[in-house]
Amino acid sequence: MANDLVRMEHINKNFGSVQALDDVTFTVGRQEIVGLVGDNGAGKSTLIKILSGAHPASSGQIYFDDKPVEIKNTWDAIQLGIETIYQDSALVPQLSITRNLFLGREPLTGPRYLQRMDKRFMDEQTRKLLGELGITKAINPDTPITSLSGGERQSISIARAMFFESRLIVLDEPTNNLGVEETHRVLKFIQSARDKGLSCIFITHNIYHVFQVVDRIVVLRRGKKVCEANPKQTNIDDIEKVITGIHDTLPEHRAG
Amino acid sequence: MQSSSRLQRLTSAPAFKRFVAAPEFGPLVLLLVEIIVFSFLTSRRASVDPFFSIFPSFLSSTNITNLMTFIPELGMIALGMTMLMTAGEFDLSVGSTFGLSAIIMWTFYNAGLTSLEVGFLVAMLISIAIGFVNGWFVTRLRIPSFLVTLGMLLIARGAALYITDGFPQRTWSAESPLVDVLVGEFRVGDLRIFTSLLWFILFVVVLHYVLVHSKAGNWILASGGNPMAAIARGVKVGRTKVWLFILSAVMSAYAGITSSIRVSAANPNSGDGYELEVIAMVVIGGTALTGGRGSILGTVLGVLILRVMRNGIVMVGVPGLAYKIFIGAIILGMMALHSTLERRTGNGR
Ligand SMILES: Nc1ncnc2c1ncn2[C@@H]1O[C@H](COP(=O)(O)OP(=O)(O)OP(=O)(O)O)[C@@H](O)[C@H]1O
Ligand SMILES: [Mg+2]
């Protein structure tokens, strides 16, 4: 398709003798949420780490906005508008919400050589964002991340990506360790990000979450892309069978 | 009754609460206690024992001058170390760099190779190289800073000994404006003050600003707090750390040269063991050894606490050799305090 936001073509990745990715072609459309699923070690994290510049592909080509790009490090990815929220933590626990929100993109005030952060502006924006997050209890922008719940942390990571008008948000298992309420909030957030024009890659082991929010499902198994499906035209059972390897393809593909 | 309610109002004010909860509060209290105890003990000793009345008391201008002379030297190193430790690394080679820099400057000068100023520049350039190599090994080769800077400790000390054959270098023949700029003397009332103290204060202000208010400070804190998250946000963690290793080495070299001019001796062994004393000062001030939390003001307090302790116990008549017992006890006590506070408040900025 000519109008995809991201096209990763024929991506291979070897870690020594381990082939983590085997000729994977993966696309994300504009304003599309793609669910990337697969068992442990299928290569999901590896694929998105290549996209976000955490490590290079062994071979393959990436296109962004239909232009071939080389993503050598995280900075390159950020410049393209790719924002990654990692499985473990995307925030610096000791720092305040404000400092985390603006980390790497601190607005400055005063003469340039002083490199002074515009704390007032930062705090203002943080307060506004916290309000939009729907976190009901009053949270001070100075609060260190350590005193927030897992869901609040995830929401802040996602809000940060939206705030800086990234084009693509990559979420590696954002709903891990979250309660029902907080999971729900994160899912809603992903949808509202799409409504604002962003695209999303959503990795999770929870098929139910995938079915709730994504526009397309991509299944990886042992480093290979085994199928793509529209959640409206398939069901959870069939996808699960493909993930675990009971079936190689979805029913209609097998028939046809 | 009325005064107690006024006290209550004061202690419940938000500004007061913030003051008490600040990580610098513990060290500040400790410093005040030290000063009060030593002033009391020295004055009592002088009144009881006529022999001691010839010695200056703790708060005399002679003793304060004495204290303020030493503070900038270890203090400069501690400032650099604070920035580095906040970014999650530390530097064991500071003491050796302290010794080597003075040796280089004076060797060049005494051999008639260069003027003192050029010798100073050469020493500074070498310290930049030392810091760069430390940083490069740590960030590029991913070797823990403990091992890298231990190696550098030995190399720099070995170099100083090799260059001098182990003998101190002559330092008294120097006439140079550099000497006045670095450690010129002037008097304020009864106090004799070295310009090195002014340099120290300048660096305190600048580095405090950098750490708390500048963009670089945010990067330093994040590099120590969660390097992976910082990298994912485009923070150049490796480059930040290399710069801080360079800062640490430059501050040590500067301190070494200052000290050699002041005491008129450049000994290849000077600065031996400073690394641990400096790290002690920094952690007492509330900077985390593991990174992510750091305070320049805390470090100033840490420097003062150990300096006052070293000076005070000698003045009250405890043998100076017992000094290490007290430092050890202070470190343990302060660490217990910081960790309790952190657990209770989830400290952050
Ligand atoms: N840095 C690495 N060095 C060596 N092998 C690696 C590395 N990273 C990943 N692998 C291997 O690549 C394969 C794919 O790993 P990856 O992390 O992409 O899986 P995943 O699909 O994200 O799994 P999970 O659902 O458990 O997070 C695994 O076999 C893993 O062991
Ligand atoms: Mg993974």
Side-chain angles (χ1 to χ4, degrees):
Chain A
M1 262 196 285
N3 214 11
D4 287 327
L5 180 65
V6 178
R7 220 161 60 240
M8 300 176 78
E9 284 187 352
H10 307 294
I11 303 289
N12 285 284
K13 177 70 189 179
N14 302 306
F15 289 109
S17 61
V18 179
Q19 183 155 28
L21 293 174
D22 182 2
D23 197 36
V24 173
T25 293
F26 176 76
T27 62
V28 184
R30 289 163 207 280
Q31 275 195 282
E32 186 185 32
I33 305 176
V34 179
L36 188 57
V37 296
D39 249 338
N40 292 116
K44 308 180 295 292
S45 295
T46 306
L47 184 65
I48 59 112
K49 278 182 179 163
I50 288 171
L51 186 59
S52 61
H55 43 54
S58 304
S59 69
Q61 179 63 53
I62 302 175
Y63 297 86
F64 196 88
D65 266 341
D66 297 315
K67 284 186 284 291
V69 289
E70 228 184 299
I71 301 176
K72 291 191 291 291
N73 50 45
T74 44
W75 189 244
D76 291 344
I78 289 171
Q79 295 299 80
L80 291 171
I82 301 172
E83 191 79 32
T84 311
I85 296 163
Y86 284 109
Q87 206 162 346
D88 8 61
S89 170
L91 303 170
V92 182
Q94 296 93 334
L95 296 189
S96 68
I97 300 176
T98 306
R99 277 179 179 264
N100 265 288
L101 268 177
F102 289 92
L103 181 59
R105 257 160 282 182
E106 297 83 353
L108 300 179
T109 180
R112 259 187 69 80
Y113 64 89
L114 281 179
Q115 293 282 300
R116 185 183 183 87
M117 289 189 292
D118 193 347
K119 282 252 183 64
R120 179 157 351 137
F121 173 78
M122 287 163 65
D123 279 343
E124 240 166 58
Q125 294 299 318
T126 306
R127 239 176 250 121
K128 223 167 77 189
L129 210 63
L130 285 172
E132 286 170 19
L133 276 181
I135 297 175
T136 40
K137 69 172 192 250
I139 296 183
N140 193 323
D142 280 339
T143 317
I145 298 298
T146 36
S147 44
L148 299 181
S149 79
E152 287 162 351
R153 293 182 199 197
Q154 285 297 359
S155 309
I156 285 170
S157 307
I158 301 169
R160 179 170 69 181
M162 285 168 63
F163 180 80
F164 286 105
E165 295 174 351
S166 326
R167 316 262 321 264
L168 172 68
I169 302 183
V170 182
L171 299 134
D172 196 348
E173 308 196 24
T175 50
N176 259 12
N177 311 321
L178 296 193
V180 178
E181 177 97 6
E182 294 191 317
T183 300
H184 194 70
R185 190 187 300 145
V186 169
L187 295 181
K188 261 191 28 207
F189 232 84
I190 293 173
Q191 281 172 317
S192 70
R194 174 189 51 194
D195 296 343
K196 286 186 182 158
L198 280 71
S199 302
C200 235
I201 300 173
F202 177 27
I203 298 179
T204 178
H205 283 283
N206 190 322
I207 306 287
Y208 297 91
H209 294 168
V210 175
F211 268 75
Q212 279 174 44
V213 293
V214 308
D215 301 310
R216 188 154 54 90
I217 298 174
V218 173
V219 183
L220 287 186
R221 190 164 76 227
R222 297 213 207 115
K224 287 197 174 78
K225 186 172 88 176
V226 285
C227 86
E228 289 192 29
N230 183 330
K232 294 194 184 71
Q233 288 158 21
T234 184
N235 62 56
I236 290 179
D237 248 18
D238 286 337
I239 291 286
E240 248 168 9
K241 281 178 183 148
V242 177
I243 291 172
T244 51
I246 295 172
H247 290 154
D248 274 341
T249 51
L250 291 169
E252 61 270 18
H253 294 266
R254 256 179 290 146
Chain B
M1 198 62 212
Q2 199 194 350
S3 77
S4 91
S5 81
R6 199 177 300 151
L7 188 69
Q8 244 165 28
R9 218 171 324 129
L10 178 71
T11 52
S12 60
F16 182 83
K17 278 194 178 144
R18 220 172 318 128
F19 178 62
V20 172
E24 292 86 2
F25 184 71
L28 181 64
V29 170
L30 177 60
L31 179 63
L32 294 177
V33 168
E34 262 185 16
I35 291 173
I36 292 166
V37 168
F38 286 134
S39 312
F40 174 72
L41 290 180
T42 50
S43 66
R44 202 186 58 166
R45 192 170 172 194
S47 64
V48 174
D49 184 345
F51 175 72
F52 279 102
S53 60
I54 61 166
F55 284 93
S57 86
F58 182 75
L59 284 179
S60 67
S61 55
T62 322
N63 194 47
I64 291 175
T65 297
N66 191 4
L67 266 172
M68 288 198 301
T69 307
F70 286 105
I71 283 163
E73 287 162 18
L74 279 180
M76 281 288 195
I77 309 178
L79 294 181
M81 188 76 86
T82 305
M83 304 297 274
L84 185 60
M85 277 172 52
T86 305
E89 305 291 344
F90 57 90
D91 185 353
L92 295 178
S93 65
V94 290
S96 299
T97 308
F98 179 98
L100 178 63
S101 61
I103 292 298
I104 287 173
M105 182 176 88
W106 289 107
T107 304
F108 271 68
Y109 177 71
N110 290 341
L113 287 172
T114 63
S115 65
L116 196 65
E117 292 81 7
V118 173
F120 176 77
L121 282 182
V122 171
M124 283 298 167
L125 286 176
I126 287 176
S127 72
I128 289 173
I130 288 175
F132 179 78
V133 170
N134 280 338
W136 193 84
F137 270 77
V138 170
T139 59
R140 283 303 165 86
L141 304 185
R142 292 167 203 278
I143 304 172
S145 53
F146 180 86
L147 299 174
V148 171
T149 60
L150 179 65
M152 189 54 81
L153 178 155
L154 296 169
I155 291 172
R157 182 65 69 202
L161 289 167
Y162 179 76
I163 292 170
T164 60
D165 278 334
F167 292 108
Q169 295 295 292
R170 254 185 322 127
T171 63
W172 52 86
S173 54
E175 285 276 332
S176 155
L178 185 70
V179 170
D180 290 325
V181 172
L182 293 182
V183 268
E185 267 182 61
F186 60 92
R187 302 192 71 94
V188 177
D190 270 350
L191 297 178
R192 203 158 49 98
I193 293 182
F194 286 103
T195 44
S196 57
L197 185 67
L198 303 183
W199 286 113
F200 177 67
I201 292 169
L202 178 72
F203 272 93
V204 168
V205 172
V206 169
L207 293 181
H208 175 78
Y209 172 84
V210 169
L211 194 55
V212 176
H213 296 292
S214 83
K215 171 175 166 172
N218 210 29
W219 287 28
I220 291 168
L221 288 159
S223 300
N226 184 353
M228 292 325 289
I231 289 170
R233 297 290 294 163
V235 171
K236 297 186 176 78
V237 170
R239 200 179 299 176
T240 306
K241 287 183 177 178
V242 171
W243 278 114
L244 294 177
F245 273 109
I246 292 175
L247 176 72
S248 166
V250 166
M251 297 292 265
S252 311
Y254 170 87
I257 287 171
T258 302
S259 170
S260 75
I261 296 174
R262 185 182 56 78
V263 302
S264 306
N267 186 326
N269 272 317
S270 71
D272 196 26
Y274 278 14
E275 54 281 347
L276 294 185
E277 187 160 353
V278 164
I279 290 173
M281 289 167 168
V282 175
V283 295
I284 286 170
T287 297
L289 191 59
T290 45
R293 182 158 56 79
S295 163
I296 288 289
L297 300 182
T299 293
V300 173
L301 292 170
V303 172
L304 289 170
I305 286 170
L306 290 198
R307 271 291 140 187
V308 167
M309 179 60 83
R310 193 192 270 277
N311 172 273
I313 58 175
V314 174
M315 297 202 70
V316 300
V318 177
L321 296 173
Y323 170 57
K324 286 192 172 153
I325 301 175
F326 288 90
I327 308 190
I330 293 178
I331 294 176
L332 293 180
M334 283 320 242
M335 289 309 98
L337 178 71
H338 288 312
S339 91
T340 321
L341 284 179
E342 201 175 343
R343 229 172 304 131
R344 217 171 45 205
T345 59
N347 227 318
R349 283 181 180 278

